[in-house]
């Protein structure tokens, strides 16, 4: 019996500690095939989406590939925004990865002699939104078509090297899975253009290759860096004993570890990410994110009367009570402690045992401040002058303010091709050295975003640099003295979007490392703003922009903020900013706030605001004061360096004030029906430990609630979506035919309760039957991560916030009419927007410009595919124009250019002798003011030219 009990305890421990299984490459591949097939038969495949930007803030660049013979031509790889091509030095770009099944890019390499492009998919920076790829892709027609060349379980690829003398010989550094161990990582090589691959170096199932470099003049000499890391939702260990430097002298066929204990390069568990640069066979540079702790500096406060938070971490109760009150009050006031915490009452709390001295340090610590409180060594530069056999650090002092505590995000070093002493290192700033790394100066600038990831140095003009960072692309021709910004691609990485009820309505969005922006939904996304200097979109918040709520009574009142729960109330009409002061009680565990902290304005009272930490907070007065209305609604967090055990989604029912749902990052969902008086866990029957990406109270039925779960942080790519019609007591899966991909968002249609919209890490879907089956959107949409979905109810516009390709918009008025009657009819015609007549139709303002040619969309639903005849008819029945179009089963959109045929013109003039219809400058006849009927078969609808 004792053995049985011990076995059961051991088994239970294994189950608690077991990692969720990662999705197999076969499942991913099948899902991609399934999505392609769904697109072919989708009822909404013709629904046209328009990208509305914004563009000027751009998004994270991961790599650059520049034509060495013509550097005005280059390719840019964006972390989750695809690959873009320019032939005019970044004046304009064309996306070339849209025909592939992913937009997630780790590295790109180009064989310029044969115009062959290789893309290693899956960003390699190991950040919170470094999305997995699908292997290595190859194109021989500038991205019109792509072929998957394998390594499909690599997830993240660090580097691609092409032999300049044999383009079929390619070496790839595979970083591997981000959140789980796997075997397909290390160095891979092909000698037949990617038909077959051979693994040439494998370190272990948690250590991949983050960088591989070769001597530009000797492909046989290569250096590679391995990186041991372990990322979980609650902790990131970005270093390990198997992080090391390896060397090959036979073009990557065999490898030898050169960062040994005798080499002078750091070894052991504190070795983090390593970046490499090769000048020649002998001179190699390495930048190292050292996670070894700095030695104690032995600082003493004896020469200063100011207390620091570190003083309290080891202070005894007796020593605390002896502190001078003035000195203690100075600390409390300087560090923003609430008024109720002053020396006398804090000492009483310590005296009574309710508070410990260390609590005065913990009170100030949160996830955001810990990012910059770095006790590690951080960035270090090493140089070898003997081909990697020995290494020496180039500088004496610490390289502070380069990496802070997130050096895993950077890891790049570059050496000028003409001078071994000219090097550049990348981190939050760009810094360069002209003396081999002994001293450094910054070449950041006011129009260059922070956080840098890619650099190209012109071998023919080393002062010419192209830089890729979290804010796009910059170019300099004077070695960083002055920079040009090249941000025309629409590659914004949105976490969240929202809309207001202004006329025209505005769109708001929070972006990765690019703050919060707002702009009119109908703004022109082109270069015309260069004339006025007024870009249509405006930045209203810095940092990593997060969720946005807008007061429905006054759209100038906006609630938003940045990472880890730092939120504000903004009055845009007065530029007033009110920061929310949400603090735990002294002596309690600090509140935990998610990177993407959720906020919500109550639909019942726009003065009431909810904010999720590990408890649900509520303000009754627009954020001036806050009260926790729950206990901890998570599993209590986990030991680690990432805030975890936090709320991720909040929803209040429009039917009842205080009927609130809250979901957490560790898989719990709770409901209260009495404004937080009591809470019930309603997630017991759902899959465990998954991130609650959305919980949504229905707008149509009080008892109904929707939930989506996300397994991205386990490398679990299955689709999880559920509906309950009894407040979450029981759940029904509605993921049905959604191809495997983590689900980020679900949205109910405000008019038709049967319609749901859903976004995954590589697609956007709609269901017309509450999730029994789904149709995929595809027209104008890339295979990118869809993070948020909002609907502007008055305009009937659907907006998709993507993490990599900014924001897309379409009108859903036709979709909202879907019902059983429509599916039983051969044709259903929808309303056509009225238009205003203009004498400019068919004319240009000068002979050097193109004529303005108007058009209107004719939306219709067809039950069958095939040819349809569309007639435009006058009020008295004359046929003015006739078009034959090919329709698909589902929603269709025919474009009508408002012209008449010669026969139609004569018929209309005969009906109405008081009008004149003369040919415009382009030779076409346009319909005059009036009401017209559009007819398909027996179905008709009308529109007006005013």
């Amino acid at each position: 019996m004792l053995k049985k009990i011990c076995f059961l305890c051991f088994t239970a421990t294994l189950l608690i500690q077991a990692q969720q299984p990662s999705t197999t490459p076969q499942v991913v591949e099948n899902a991609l095939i399934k999505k392609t097939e769904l697109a072919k038969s989708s009822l909404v495949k013709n629904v046209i989406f328009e990208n509305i930007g914004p563009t000027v803030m751009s998004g994270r660049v991961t790599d650059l590939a520049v034509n060495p013979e013509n550097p005005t031509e280059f390719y840019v790889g964006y972390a989750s925004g695809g690959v873009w091509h320019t032939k005019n030095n970044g004046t304009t770009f064309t996306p070339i990865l849209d025909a592939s099944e992913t937009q997630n890019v780790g590295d790109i390499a180009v064989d310029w002699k044969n115009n062959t492009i290789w893309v290693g998919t899956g960003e390699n920076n190991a950040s919170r939104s470094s999305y997995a790829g699908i292997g290595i892709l190859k194109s021989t027609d500038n991205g019109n078509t792509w072929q998957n060349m394998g390594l499909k379980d690599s997830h993240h690829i660090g580097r691609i090297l092409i032999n300049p003398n044999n383009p079929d010989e390619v070496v790839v550094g595979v970083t591997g899975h981000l959140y789980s161990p796997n075997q397909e990582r290390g160095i891979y090589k092909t000698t037949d253009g990617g038909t077959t691959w051979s693994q040439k170096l494998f370190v272990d199932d948690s250590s991949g290759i983050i960088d591989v470099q070769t001597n530009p003049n000797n492909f046989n000499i290569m250096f590679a860096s391995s990186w041991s890391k372990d990322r979980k939702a609650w902790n990131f260990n970005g270093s390990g004993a198997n992080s090391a430097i390896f060397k090959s002298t036979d073009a990557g066929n065999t490898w030898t570890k050169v960062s040994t204990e005798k080499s002078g390069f750091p070894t052991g568990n504190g070795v983090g990410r390593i970046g490499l640069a090769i000048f020649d066979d002998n001179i190699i540079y390495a930048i190292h994110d050292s996670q070894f702790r700095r030695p104690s500096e032995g600082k003493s406060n004896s020469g200063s009367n100011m207390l620091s938070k570190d003083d309290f971490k080891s202070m005894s109760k007796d020593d605390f009570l002896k502190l001078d009150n003035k000195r203690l009050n100075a600390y409390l006031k300087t560090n923003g402690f609430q008024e109720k915490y002053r020396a006398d009452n804090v000492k009483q709390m310590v005296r009574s045992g309710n508070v410990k001295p260390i609590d005065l340090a913990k009170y100030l610590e949160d996830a955001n401040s810990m990012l910059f409180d770095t006790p590690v060594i951080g960035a270090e530069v090493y140089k070898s002058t003997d081909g990697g056999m020995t290494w020496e650090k180039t500088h004496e002092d610490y390289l502070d303010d380069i990496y802070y505590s997130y050096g895993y995000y950077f890891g790049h070093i570059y050496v000028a091709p003409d001078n071994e002493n000219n090097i550049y290192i990348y981190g939050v700033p760009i810094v360069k050295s002209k003396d081999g790394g002994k001293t450094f100066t910054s070449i950041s600038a006011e129009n260059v975003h922070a956080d840098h990831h890619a650099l190209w140095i012109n071998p023919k003009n080393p002062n010419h640099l192209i830089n890729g960072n979290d804010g796009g692309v910059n170019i300099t021709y004077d070695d960083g003295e002055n920079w040009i910004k090249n941000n025309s691609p629409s590659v914004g990485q949105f976490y969240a979007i929202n809309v207001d009820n202004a006329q025209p309505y505005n769109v708001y969005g929070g972006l990765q490392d690019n703050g919060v922006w707002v702009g009119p939904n109908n703004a022109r996304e082109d270069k015309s703003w260069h004339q006025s200097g007024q870009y249509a979109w405006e930045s209203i918040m810095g940092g990593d922009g997060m969720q946005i709520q807008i007061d429905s009574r006054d759209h100038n009142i906006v609630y938003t903020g940045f990472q880890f729960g730092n939120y504000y109330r903004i009055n845009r009409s007065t530029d007033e900013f009110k920061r929310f002061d949400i603090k735990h009680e002294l002596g309690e565990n600090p509140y935990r706030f998610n990177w993407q902290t959720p906020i919500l304005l109550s639909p019942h009272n726009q003065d009431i605001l909810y904010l999720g930490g590990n408890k649900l907070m509520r303000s009754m007065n627009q954020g001036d004061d806050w009260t926790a209305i729950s206990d901890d609604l998570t599993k209590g967090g986990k030991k680690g360096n990432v805030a975890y055990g936090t709320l991720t989604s909040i929803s209040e029912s429009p039917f009842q004030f205080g009927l609130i749902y809250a979901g957490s990052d560790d898989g719990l969902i709770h409901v209260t029906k009495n404004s937080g008086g009591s809470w019930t866990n309603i997630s017991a029957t759902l899959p465990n430990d998954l991130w609650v990406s959305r919980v949504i109270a229905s707008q149509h039925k009080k008892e109904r609630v929707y939930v989506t779960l996300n397994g991205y942080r386990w490398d679990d790519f299955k689709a999880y979506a559920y509906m309950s019609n009894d407040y979450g007591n029981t759940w029904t899966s509605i993921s049905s035919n959604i191809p495997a991909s983590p689900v980020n968002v679900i949205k109910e249609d405000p008019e038709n309760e049967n319609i749901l919209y859903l976004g995954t890490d590589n697609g956007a879907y709609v269901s017309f039957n509450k999730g029994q089956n789904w149709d995929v959107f595809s027209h104008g949409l890339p295979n990118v991560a869809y993070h948020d979905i909002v609907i502007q109810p008055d305009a009937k516009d659907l907006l998709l916030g993507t993490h990599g390709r900014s924001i897309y918009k379409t009108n859903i008025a036709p979709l909202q009419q879907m019902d059983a009657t429509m599916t039983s009819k051969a044709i259903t015609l929808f309303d056509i927007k009225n238009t205003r007549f203009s004498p400019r139709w068919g004319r240009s303002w000068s002979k050097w410009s193109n004529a303005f040619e108007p058009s209107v969309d004719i939306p219709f639903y067809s039950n069958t595919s095939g040819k349809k005849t569309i007639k435009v008819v006058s009020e008295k029945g004359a046929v003015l124009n006739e078009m034959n179009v090919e329709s698909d089963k589902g929603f269709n959109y025919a474009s009508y250019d408002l012209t008449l045929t010669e026969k139609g013109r004569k018929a209309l003039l005969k009906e109405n002798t008081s009008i004149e219809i003369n040919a415009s400058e382009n030779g076409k006849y346009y319909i005059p003011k009036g009401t017209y009927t559009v007819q398909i078969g027996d179905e008709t609808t009308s529109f007006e030219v005013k």
Side-chain angles (χ1 to χ4, degrees):
M1 183 65 183
L2 180 61
K3 287 183 178 181
K4 185 176 181 181
I5 292 172
C6 291
F7 173 77
L8 289 174
C9 292
F10 176 71
T11 303
T13 302
L14 286 179
L15 289 173
I16 291 169
Q17 295 176 345
Q19 164 125 352
Q20 296 269 70
S22 62
T23 300
T24 66
Q26 292 76 26
V27 170
V28 173
E29 188 171 4
N30 290 338
L32 296 174
I33 295 170
K34 182 179 179 181
K35 184 168 184 275
T36 300
E37 292 303 312
L38 273 179
K40 293 177 182 178
S41 60
S42 173
L43 297 178
V44 294
K45 67 181 179 181
N46 295 318
V47 175
I48 303 168
F49 281 84
E50 171 195 6
N51 189 293
I52 65 169
T55 61
V56 72
M57 74 293 294
S58 195
R60 184 164 68 248
V61 172
T62 52
D63 200 21
L64 300 160
V66 185
N67 186 339
E69 301 303 320
N70 176 19
T72 63
E73 179 185 16
F74 57 90
Y75 295 89
V76 183
Y78 292 89
S80 53
V83 177
W84 294 66
H85 180 216
T86 180
K87 300 175 82 172
N88 53 20
N89 206 34
T91 304
T92 60
F93 290 86
T94 302
I96 65 160
L97 198 63
D98 287 12
S100 81
E101 294 164 319
T102 185
Q103 295 295 301
N104 306 327
V105 178
D107 195 63
I108 53 179
V110 178
D111 169 21
W112 293 101
K113 295 177 182 177
N114 299 287
N115 294 317
T116 300
I117 308 166
W118 294 81
V119 176
T121 65
E123 184 192 3
N124 56 37
N125 284 324
S127 77
R128 290 170 175 80
S129 57
S130 291
Y131 287 107
I134 56 174
I136 189 161
L137 305 180
K138 180 181 179 181
S139 177
T140 57
D141 55 11
N142 201 38
N144 289 322
T145 58
W146 292 92
Q147 184 179 0
N148 192 316
M149 305 309 297
L151 306 180
K152 295 181 180 179
D153 196 38
S154 57
H155 280 204
H156 303 272
I157 289 179
R159 189 70 67 207
I160 305 169
L161 300 178
I162 305 171
N163 187 339
N165 300 313
N166 177 12
D168 286 334
E169 185 178 0
V170 180
V171 174
V172 177
V174 175
T175 310
H177 291 195
L178 178 56
Y179 284 97
S180 60
N182 75 310
Q183 295 293 312
E184 194 168 86
R185 56 174 82 206
I187 296 286
Y188 284 82
K189 182 173 181 178
T190 180
T191 56
D192 54 17
T195 302
T196 59
W197 296 89
S198 175
Q199 189 182 58
K200 300 300 184 181
L201 174 64
F202 176 77
V203 179
D204 62 52
D205 64 4
S206 295
S207 303
I209 301 300
I210 189 62
D211 200 4
V212 191
Q213 298 291 339
T214 184
N215 182 346
N217 301 310
N218 184 356
F219 194 73
N220 286 317
I221 301 298
M222 293 182 181
F223 286 82
S225 55
S226 60
W227 186 18
S228 298
K229 58 181 171 58
D230 179 23
R231 178 142 213 162
K232 298 290 187 290
W234 57 90
N235 188 65
F236 185 27
N237 182 3
S239 64
N242 281 339
S243 295
I245 300 174
F246 296 81
K247 181 180 181 180
S248 173
T249 58
D250 54 10
N253 287 310
T254 60
W255 294 86
T256 302
K257 183 177 178 180
V258 294
S259 58
T260 62
E261 290 185 7
K262 295 181 180 179
S263 71
F265 196 87
T267 60
N269 287 325
V271 180
R273 179 172 175 172
I274 302 167
L276 301 166
I278 301 178
F279 182 76
D280 58 25
D281 286 358
N282 294 312
I283 297 172
I284 305 97
Y285 285 95
I287 186 165
H288 171 221
D289 173 30
S290 176
Q291 293 297 296
F292 291 103
R293 301 292 163 174
R294 295 187 181 190
S296 174
E297 296 179 356
K299 288 184 178 179
S300 172
N301 284 328
S302 58
S304 170
N305 198 41
M306 294 297 294
L307 291 164
S308 73
K309 69 177 184 179
D310 291 334
D311 293 325
F312 296 99
K313 291 183 176 180
S314 58
M315 188 178 291
S316 69
K317 177 179 177 180
D318 288 340
D319 287 341
F320 180 84
L321 294 174
K322 293 177 184 176
L323 286 174
D324 177 72
N325 278 9
K326 288 183 178 180
R327 192 175 175 209
L328 180 55
N329 273 328
Y331 171 82
L332 296 170
K333 292 177 181 179
T334 301
N335 289 283
F337 279 68
Q338 294 171 311
E339 281 291 334
K340 60 184 177 181
Y341 298 129
R342 290 298 178 256
D344 285 334
N345 59 323
V346 171
K347 283 187 175 180
Q348 181 57 40
M349 297 168 79
V350 171
R351 195 175 289 113
S352 65
N354 294 324
V355 168
K356 299 176 181 178
I358 195 174
D359 291 327
L360 276 79
K362 290 181 177 179
Y363 190 82
L364 301 179
E365 293 180 345
D366 58 38
N368 201 50
S369 66
M370 294 301 286
L371 278 176
F372 298 93
D373 288 350
T374 167
V376 299
I377 291 172
E380 293 182 311
V381 175
Y382 285 81
K383 182 178 182 180
S384 174
T385 57
D386 56 8
M389 298 302 295
T390 61
W391 299 83
E392 184 176 352
K393 194 165 71 168
T394 66
H395 50 96
E396 295 181 0
D397 295 333
Y398 293 126
L399 294 178
D400 287 328
D401 301 335
I402 301 291
Y403 280 178
Y404 295 94
S405 62
Y406 50 106
Y408 64 84
Y409 192 52
F410 306 111
H412 295 282
I413 187 169
Y414 303 88
V415 58
D418 67 328
N419 189 327
E420 66 170 273
N421 291 313
N422 292 358
I423 63 172
Y424 304 82
I425 63 174
Y426 267 27
V428 175
I430 324 169
V431 297
K432 69 179 179 182
S433 173
K434 296 298 184 180
D435 55 13
K438 294 178 183 178
T439 61
F440 291 89
T441 58
S442 172
I443 57 171
S444 298
E446 69 276 7
N447 66 334
V448 179
H449 196 286
D451 294 358
H452 301 272
H453 306 287
L455 178 71
W456 177 79
I457 306 170
N458 190 336
K460 298 179 179 179
N461 175 14
N463 288 324
H464 175 201
L465 312 175
I466 304 179
N467 166 43
N469 52 63
D470 271 14
V473 174
N474 293 89
I475 301 175
T476 178
Y477 288 93
D478 52 15
D479 199 25
E481 292 295 318
N482 300 279
W483 293 89
I484 306 165
K485 204 169 188 69
N486 301 83
N487 282 359
S488 62
S490 191
V491 289
Q493 295 178 291
F494 281 90
Y495 288 119
I497 61 173
N498 211 340
V499 294
D500 62 22
N501 54 12
Q503 295 291 336
Y505 70 87
N506 296 299
V507 183
Y508 303 73
L511 301 105
Q512 188 275 328
D513 207 27
N514 280 292
V516 180
W517 290 69
V518 57
N521 80 92
N522 57 352
R524 291 170 58 188
E525 189 55 61
D526 59 23
K527 295 185 287 293
S528 60
W529 69 274
H530 292 186
Q531 290 286 83
S532 66
Q534 296 295 317
Y535 188 60
W537 290 72
E538 174 192 354
S539 174
I540 60 173
M541 179 64 61
D544 283 75
M546 293 298 155
Q547 296 187 12
I548 313 100
Q549 293 285 290
I550 307 100
D551 194 320
S552 61
R553 304 163 302 185
D554 179 1
H555 64 264
N556 287 305
I557 305 300
V558 178
Y559 300 87
T560 190
F562 55 89
Q563 65 267 30
F564 294 127
N566 290 279
Y567 275 88
Y568 295 76
R569 182 182 71 235
I570 304 172
N571 187 326
R572 295 187 61 216
S573 63
T574 63
D575 288 331
E576 177 191 1
F577 282 68
K578 161 66 178 178
R579 189 180 188 278
F580 297 158
D581 183 20
I582 305 175
K583 294 294 291 186
H584 61 284
E585 296 296 320
L586 188 61
E588 293 182 353
N589 288 326
Y591 292 141
R592 299 184 299 274
F593 296 100
N594 195 270
W595 177 264
Q596 299 180 51
T597 295
I599 58 170
L600 177 70
L601 277 171
S602 172
H604 303 279
N605 185 332
Q606 294 285 282
D607 286 339
I608 299 176
L609 182 66
Y610 301 101
L611 186 148
N614 54 311
K615 301 178 179 181
L616 184 64
M617 315 295 171
R618 184 180 67 191
S619 172
M620 304 294 287
N621 53 9
Q622 299 183 302
D624 286 339
D625 302 291
W626 291 90
T627 303
I629 61 169
S630 76
D631 291 328
D632 194 331
L633 295 178
T634 76
K635 295 178 181 178
K638 287 190 177 185
K639 186 178 181 180
N641 53 21
V642 180
Y644 185 72
T646 63
L647 295 182
T648 51
S649 185
I650 311 164
S651 186
E652 184 176 27
S653 171
F655 291 98
Q656 176 187 327
F657 174 70
L659 173 54
I660 306 168
Y661 297 89
S664 70
D665 56 8
D666 52 11
L668 296 187
I669 305 163
H670 286 83
V671 62
T672 178
K673 298 178 183 178
N674 53 11
S675 298
S678 60
W679 291 85
T680 303
N681 183 347
I682 56 174
S683 51
T685 60
L686 295 176
N688 293 328
D689 299 325
L690 299 177
W691 196 284
V692 180
S693 53
R694 284 297 190 281
V695 55
I696 301 293
S698 172
Q699 303 174 64
H700 299 287
K701 184 178 180 181
K702 183 179 179 181
E703 301 85 357
R704 185 176 297 154
V705 58
Y706 295 93
V707 161
T708 57
L709 307 177
N710 187 304
Y712 159 81
R713 291 159 188 84
W714 299 97
D715 286 331
D716 174 2
F717 301 150
K718 293 189 287 293
Y720 298 97
Y722 301 89
M723 178 180 71
S724 173
N725 279 313
D726 56 7
Y727 302 103
N729 289 317
T730 59
W731 295 97
T732 301
S733 173
I734 56 171
S735 57
S736 55
N737 63 328
I738 301 172
S741 184
V743 180
N744 299 310
V745 57
I746 191 168
K747 186 76 174 179
E748 229 184 5
D749 189 273
E751 294 191 8
N752 188 330
E753 70 170 318
N754 294 312
I755 299 180
L756 300 171
Y757 307 92
L758 181 141
T760 74
D761 276 356
N762 79 336
Y765 299 82
V766 61
S767 173
F768 295 105
N769 50 21
K770 297 194 192 78
Q772 293 180 43
N773 68 279
W774 297 83
D775 289 282
V776 62
F777 292 114
S778 59
H779 197 307
L781 295 178
N783 297 309
V784 69
Y786 293 85
H787 262 228
D788 206 0
I789 297 175
V790 296
I791 296 169
Q792 215 295 335
D794 297 329
K796 302 182 188 300
D797 283 346
L798 174 73
L799 294 100
L800 308 177
T802 75
H803 200 79
R805 294 296 287 272
S806 294
I807 301 171
Y808 290 86
K809 180 180 76 169
T810 194
N811 187 268
I812 53 171
L815 277 63
Q816 291 177 319
Q817 298 179 49
M818 171 65 92
D819 58 18
T821 302
M822 186 186 301
T823 58
S824 65
K825 291 171 60 178
I827 294 290
T828 301
L829 270 165
F830 304 108
D831 291 342
I832 300 172
K833 287 186 177 180
N834 296 329
T835 190
R836 188 169 296 279
F837 179 83
S838 172
R840 290 182 53 232
W841 291 355
R843 302 179 185 276
S844 61
W845 67 274
S846 83
K847 69 177 183 178
W848 308 111
S849 59
N850 296 325
F852 171 68
E853 297 191 345
S855 67
V856 295
D857 284 334
I858 300 173
F860 65 95
Y861 184 92
S862 175
N863 255 337
T864 58
S865 299
K867 186 175 291 185
K868 302 292 187 295
T869 299
I870 301 176
K871 295 179 180 180
V872 180
V873 182
S874 71
E875 290 183 85
K876 296 183 179 180
V879 177
L880 306 180
N881 208 333
E882 189 172 302
M883 300 175 289
N884 292 317
V885 298
E886 286 293 331
S887 70
D888 294 303
K889 182 179 179 180
F891 293 89
N892 296 268
Y893 300 81
S895 180
Y896 170 46
D897 63 2
L898 300 177
T899 61
L900 305 89
T901 62
E902 181 65 43
K903 184 178 179 181
R905 172 179 174 269
K906 291 178 180 178
L908 191 58
L909 288 173
K910 187 176 181 180
E911 284 183 0
N912 187 351
T913 59
S914 65
I915 61 173
E916 291 185 11
I917 305 175
N918 299 314
S920 193
E921 287 180 2
N922 62 358
K924 296 179 180 180
Y925 298 106
Y926 289 95
I927 56 177
K929 295 178 182 179
T931 301
Y932 301 92
T933 297
V934 172
Q935 180 179 341
I936 305 178
D938 295 330
E939 292 295 311
T940 62
T941 189
S942 62
F943 72 100
E944 184 180 0
V945 177
K946 298 180 179 180

